[in-house]
Amino acid sequence: MVNLTFVTEFILLGVTDVHQSQPFLFVIFLTIYFVNVAGNGAILTVVISDSRLHLPMYFFLGNLSCLDICYSTVTLPKMLENLISTDKAISFLGCISQLHFFHFFGSTEAMLLAVMAFDRFVAICKPLHYSVIMNPRLCALMAITIWTIGFFHALMHSLMTSHLNFCGSNHIHHFFCDVKPLLELACGNIELNQWLLNTVSGTIAMGPFFLTLLSYFYIIAHLFLMTHSCSMLQKALSTCASHFTVVFLFYAPVFFIYLRPASGSSLDQERVIAIMYSVVTPALNPLINTLRSKEVKGALTRLIERKL
């Protein structure tokens, strides 16, 4: 008979064990968080306030900015608190809530990137039918659908993880609560949890990724077969470049973490890569989207001029 101890809290061991570097890291991550909130907040503001940006492309860009703010807010404030505090505890409910919202916003963003790729496909390959296909009703329906699927996908993980028994250490070798670190602390049968993580989460990630690649395959094929003007080809590819960069920055670290076997990477590697996709990438997205879009830059300029 195994003695089971009901865990009421977990200890987040954070990004580093070196105490001397923690104040420096606090300043760095606080700056990144400020850039994230300010940059994505500015894009969200102009998309809502500027009538010239009331188009499907910018509607989805606004959704992406909202997700990036939420995605980092799930993990960064707690990480910043732990960098300057000796108390690194998080309650059981707080841990499960963090896990839920992390997977909610993460899986929603994966699906949103596929929807944005489809939007670019319709705009470039079927320009005469663009306004009919990407009508406001369909755009709203797609947005509601991916947010709903993301919520229930995360709910599955949070409910399954919350019913596990934890009978050993409550120290999480990470800076936030995620399914994989918690499964390492659980005792008993975790095969179903592992299967759900690999199969369902894998489908949520890989499905949109392949749909995104398919959209870009048709876009590139269409451009090279149907477009005879170099300037039009360059303009079309430039339009897709920012989105493709965002897709690469989002998926590259996610694939490394979730598709590699547990024995294939160290805890330090996993923490560094988790920082990339949960902290750095959301802060880079507004810079990428703003620098590549004349319309967004123009809207930001008009907004600043009105404020001044």
Side-chain angles (χ1 to χ4, degrees):
M1 191 77 177
V2 179
N3 289 325
L4 297 179
T5 304
F6 182 73
V7 174
T8 58
E9 65 177 21
F10 293 99
I11 307 298
L12 293 170
L13 298 183
V15 294
T16 180
D17 301 325
V18 182
H19 297 288
Q20 292 82 355
S21 63
Q22 290 181 356
F24 173 73
L25 290 175
F26 175 84
V27 174
I28 294 295
F29 289 129
L30 181 62
T31 304
I32 293 173
Y33 186 54
F34 175 78
V35 170
N36 175 4
V37 174
N40 284 300
I43 290 177
L44 193 56
T45 301
V46 297
V47 167
I48 293 171
S49 63
D50 197 317
S51 59
R52 302 179 203 185
L53 300 184
H54 290 175
L55 299 169
M57 176 182 177
Y58 302 108
F59 169 72
F60 294 125
L61 181 60
N63 273 262
L64 179 64
S65 294
C66 179
L67 278 169
D68 281 337
I69 293 173
C70 296
Y71 196 38
S72 287
T73 301
V74 171
T75 57
L76 253 176
K78 185 62 180 176
M79 182 178 74
L80 290 170
E81 178 192 340
N82 288 347
L83 284 171
I84 58 173
S85 173
T86 55
D87 181 15
K88 302 182 186 299
I90 183 171
S91 67
F92 184 87
L93 180 60
C95 187
I96 296 299
S97 299
Q98 190 179 55
L99 179 154
H100 171 80
F101 285 104
F102 180 78
H103 281 270
F104 173 27
F105 298 129
S107 57
T108 303
E109 181 160 338
M111 291 181 284
L112 177 63
L113 291 174
V115 170
M116 293 174 76
F118 174 73
D119 172 70
R120 292 299 83 210
F121 161 74
V122 177
I124 293 171
C125 300
K126 300 182 181 295
L128 297 178
H129 301 94
Y130 179 72
S131 58
V132 177
I133 297 173
M134 300 302 292
N135 59 75
R137 184 173 177 274
L138 178 63
C139 292
L141 183 62
M142 286 194 293
I144 292 169
T145 300
I146 60 175
W147 281 82
T148 303
I149 293 173
F151 177 83
F152 283 105
H153 166 250
L155 186 64
M156 174 196 70
H157 282 305
S158 56
L159 288 176
M160 292 298 297
T161 307
S162 66
H163 284 85
L164 291 173
N165 292 316
F166 298 92
C167 53
S169 171
N170 67 339
H171 288 64
I172 299 175
H173 293 271
H174 218 314
F175 60 91
F176 67 92
C177 291
D178 197 5
V179 177
K180 285 182 73 175
L182 285 172
L183 291 183
E184 292 173 3
L185 301 181
C187 54
N189 192 341
I190 60 169
E191 288 183 5
L192 178 58
N193 300 73
Q194 195 70 55
W195 183 84
L196 289 172
L197 182 64
N198 294 334
T199 306
V200 180
S201 296
T203 303
I204 290 285
M206 295 299 293
F209 178 69
F210 283 120
L211 288 175
T212 302
L213 290 184
L214 186 64
S215 295
Y216 276 108
F217 172 78
Y218 278 110
I219 288 171
I220 293 170
H222 174 82
L223 289 174
F224 280 102
L225 292 175
M226 305 296 293
T227 305
H228 304 290
S229 169
C230 291
S231 60
M232 287 181 63
L233 179 62
Q234 185 178 4
K235 184 179 179 181
L237 290 174
S238 177
T239 304
C240 298
S242 58
H243 178 255
F244 191 77
T245 304
V246 170
V247 170
F248 175 78
L249 289 173
F250 179 81
Y251 274 105
V254 169
F255 283 162
F256 186 92
I257 288 290
Y258 290 100
L259 297 186
R260 287 188 64 178
S263 59
S265 58
S266 68
L267 290 172
D268 289 336
Q269 280 181 322
E270 292 198 0
R271 281 186 282 195
V272 169
I273 294 165
I275 288 171
M276 281 300 299
Y277 69 76
S278 65
V279 178
V280 178
T281 299
L284 291 177
N285 285 349
L287 299 176
I288 295 167
N289 289 313
T290 304
L291 292 174
R292 302 291 304 188
S293 174
K294 293 179 181 178
E295 290 79 7
V296 175
K297 283 192 287 187
L300 284 171
T301 302
R302 291 191 294 272
L303 178 65
I304 294 169
E305 288 174 350
R306 286 201 301 269
K307 295 296 182 181
L308 296 176

